[in-house]
Amino acid sequence: MNHLFITPAARLQPRWQAAFPQATLAAVAPETDRLTPPPDIIWIVCEGEQQPLSAPLLEAVTRLSAESAVVVLANAPQQADALQALQAGARGYAHALSPVATLQQIATVVTNAGIWVPADLMAQVMGHTWQALNGEQRLRHALLDKLTEREREVALAVVQGASNKQVARTLNITERTVKAHLTSIFHKLEITDRMQLILKLADRAVNLPLGM
Amino acid sequence: MNHLFITPAARLQPRWQAAFPQATLAAVAPETDRLTPPPDIIWIVCEGEQQPLSAPLLEAVTRLSAESAVVVLANAPQQADALQALQAGARGYAHALSPVATLQQIATVVTNAGIWVPADLMAQVMGHTWQALNGEQRLRHALLDKLTEREREVALAVVQGASNKQVARTLNITERTVKAHLTSIFHKLEITDRMQLILKLADRAVNLPLGM
DNA sequence: TTGCTGGTTGTACTGCAGTCCAATATTTAT
DNA sequence: ATAAATATTGGACTGCAGTACAACCAGCAA
């Protein structure tokens, strides 16, 4: 197994040395075609505190991940960085101070077509999708189930931004009929206008908290 | 290493026996405090076809995951079930017929504070979160950045369903002024009315494809 | 048969949304 | 210092949204 550590530090950390005795070291990311043979795993170490994953490092991940499995080691792990790294092609993201056993574990997983992700990130991401897939979608279904077939068609059209006239044309009915259906919809869902309908179905709380 | 399999079956499958010769078996989930010491890994086996992850099993996952690492093995794996299991605290989810090597691999990952997730689920989930965190949120920011401070305030209020009159009251300006800001907003974002504003900012494509 | 639900349409009315044409004051950039 | 951008408001106008009050028809259950 062929390991290459990329880090500005002068020497390999004892931890890494212990995990992979035959590991080599480089100060900066080398050209891809210079590596013959390409290492099995390239470990890229982020030292920074604020912005661990700098642009050049991200670029290195993208470039190197074509030939080798890339794992990013961060001194100050951040979930946003992890996602960015994985998006760029990294096969793993972990704390730089992970114990030897974990490092070896990561190596095994990564070389076996696996992806190694920190548990907390995984939990958050999983929770997120679970919410997205179930929470909101089930809510929407519960609401739509209160409506008749025709009302559902009208509601779905309106929720996509259609005007009464447009809905009328696509459903081949009068604008007046569309209004009738809408009035019924509003009553059933206990709302007052199409804007609230959009906010209920297209919903998802317009949150701009930024960052994760 | 201490393994406990929970399954309605009378005996351990040969596969499991081979992977963990010292594994024990239980028909139902035991009380947590009866287990001294708690097993390192508890494998919960789902036999059902339609609804593999029944409510009592989920409850067992939640309860047992406090003491031991819990891995759910499904005869008919489903992504929704996997999400639910992980949400409940499971540390892994895999096919019940996974080969011996994989089972052992799972055991190692799970005992090293890792989480084992099927590759396809991982791919879908990662893509989803990335979209949610970057794609849309950055889009929203890009849009909001085109607006002036005051316009942003108006836009954010409108996007939450406020009428012009309401916005006027909360910002202490005339309804006429709100209209002026809105006209400017519409031009800048190249839209025609407040509904499209909601769909652009609250966005997220009202998709009801159902199922995963 | 009768009653109920769902789908359809009509007329008339109220009110909000959005635009056009201005106008004024403040701030910022050149 | 002059121009440009931003914030503010007025009046008048068009048009869509939504409601009230009704009416007709088809299918279905009691």
Side-chain angles (χ1 to χ4, degrees):
Chain A
M1 190 69 69
N2 201 348
H3 293 268
L4 171 61
F5 281 80
I6 298 178
T7 169
R11 296 189 313 163
L12 284 178
Q13 287 194 14
R15 184 187 320 275
W16 306 336
Q17 199 89 53
F20 315 109
Q22 73 286 47
T24 57
L25 176 144
V28 294
E31 296 297 327
T32 315
D33 47 12
R34 297 274 177 76
L35 304 170
T36 49
D40 295 298
I41 301 184
I42 298 179
W43 306 77
I44 295 184
V45 183
C46 299
E47 299 280 355
E49 295 288 331
Q50 313 292 349
Q51 286 281 341
L53 243 195
S54 58
L57 276 185
L58 250 188
E59 184 274 331
V61 170
T62 308
R63 183 158 43 82
L64 296 173
S65 61
E67 299 285 338
S68 306
V70 174
V71 176
V72 174
L73 294 177
N75 277 320
Q78 293 183 9
Q79 296 191 347
D81 280 340
L83 278 174
Q84 228 174 333
L86 293 167
Q87 183 74 3
R91 301 293 294 280
Y93 184 95
H95 199 294
L97 302 182
S98 300
V100 171
T102 303
L103 291 175
Q104 290 171 333
Q105 180 63 38
I106 295 174
T108 317
V109 169
V110 161
T111 52
N112 280 60
I115 294 182
W116 207 98
V117 177
D120 57 345
L121 207 209
M122 178 62 92
Q124 162 159 346
V125 163
M126 286 294 167
H128 188 276
T129 25
W130 181 249
Q131 286 289 332
L133 288 176
N134 272 270
E136 304 188 15
Q137 215 165 82
R138 286 197 180 169
L139 258 184
R140 280 204 288 265
H141 286 178
L143 291 178
L144 288 175
D145 283 349
K146 294 181 179 176
L147 308 181
T148 68
E149 185 57 34
R150 208 55 167 163
E151 287 166 353
R152 230 187 318 275
E153 298 180 58
V154 173
L156 289 180
V158 166
V159 159
Q160 281 163 16
S163 69
N164 289 344
K165 202 186 295 275
Q166 290 174 312
V167 176
R169 268 200 296 269
T170 61
L171 295 187
N172 270 319
I173 53 181
T174 316
E175 189 179 344
R176 181 61 194 82
T177 309
V178 175
K179 288 185 178 181
H181 285 311
L182 274 177
T183 301
S184 172
I185 292 172
F186 296 156
H187 284 158
K188 287 184 177 177
L189 301 187
E190 296 176 346
I191 54 182
T192 63
D193 53 36
R194 69 207 298 114
M195 300 233 311
Q196 298 189 27
L197 182 62
I198 293 182
L199 290 173
K200 272 225 169 188
L201 295 190
D203 192 313
R204 119 218 22 286
V206 185
N207 51 353
L208 310 239
L210 320 205
M212 23 188 315
Chain B
M1 191 69 69
N2 201 348
H3 293 268
L4 171 61
F5 280 81
I6 297 179
T7 168
R11 297 188 313 163
L12 286 177
Q13 287 194 13
R15 179 186 325 272
W16 307 336
Q17 198 89 52
F20 315 108
Q22 73 286 46
T24 57
L25 176 143
V28 294
E31 296 298 327
T32 316
D33 49 11
R34 297 276 178 74
L35 303 171
T36 47
D40 294 299
I41 301 184
I42 298 179
W43 305 77
I44 296 185
V45 184
C46 299
E47 300 280 355
E49 295 289 330
Q50 313 291 349
Q51 287 282 340
L53 243 194
S54 59
L57 276 185
L58 250 187
E59 183 274 331
V61 170
T62 307
R63 182 158 43 82
L64 297 173
S65 59
E67 300 285 339
S68 305
V70 175
V71 177
V72 174
L73 295 177
N75 277 318
Q78 294 182 9
Q79 294 193 348
D81 278 341
L83 281 173
Q84 227 174 335
L86 293 166
Q87 183 78 0
R91 303 291 295 279
Y93 184 94
H95 200 294
L97 301 183
S98 300
V100 171
T102 303
L103 290 176
Q104 291 171 333
Q105 177 86 11
I106 294 174
T108 324
V109 168
V110 162
T111 51
N112 279 60
I115 293 184
W116 180 274
V117 176
D120 55 346
L121 212 205
M122 174 66 97
Q124 162 160 348
V125 158
M126 282 299 171
H128 188 276
T129 341
W130 185 252
Q131 284 289 332
L133 287 177
N134 272 270
E136 306 190 14
Q137 215 165 82
R138 286 197 180 167
L139 257 183
R140 280 204 288 265
H141 287 178
L143 291 178
L144 288 176
D145 282 348
K146 293 181 179 176
L147 308 181
T148 68
E149 185 57 34
R150 208 56 167 161
E151 287 167 353
R152 230 189 317 276
E153 298 180 57
V154 173
L156 289 180
V158 165
V159 159
Q160 281 163 17
S163 70
N164 289 345
K165 202 186 296 277
Q166 289 174 312
V167 176
R169 268 199 297 269
T170 61
L171 294 189
N172 272 319
I173 52 179
T174 316
E175 187 179 346
R176 182 60 193 79
T177 310
V178 175
K179 288 185 179 183
H181 286 309
L182 274 177
T183 300
S184 173
I185 291 171
F186 295 156
H187 284 158
K188 286 184 177 177
L189 303 187
E190 295 178 345
I191 54 182
T192 63
D193 52 35
R194 69 208 295 115
M195 298 232 313
Q196 297 188 28
L197 182 61
I198 293 182
L199 290 173
K200 273 225 170 189
L201 295 190
D203 192 317
R204 155 187 0 279
V206 186
N207 50 354
L208 310 234
L210 321 204
M212 0 189 337

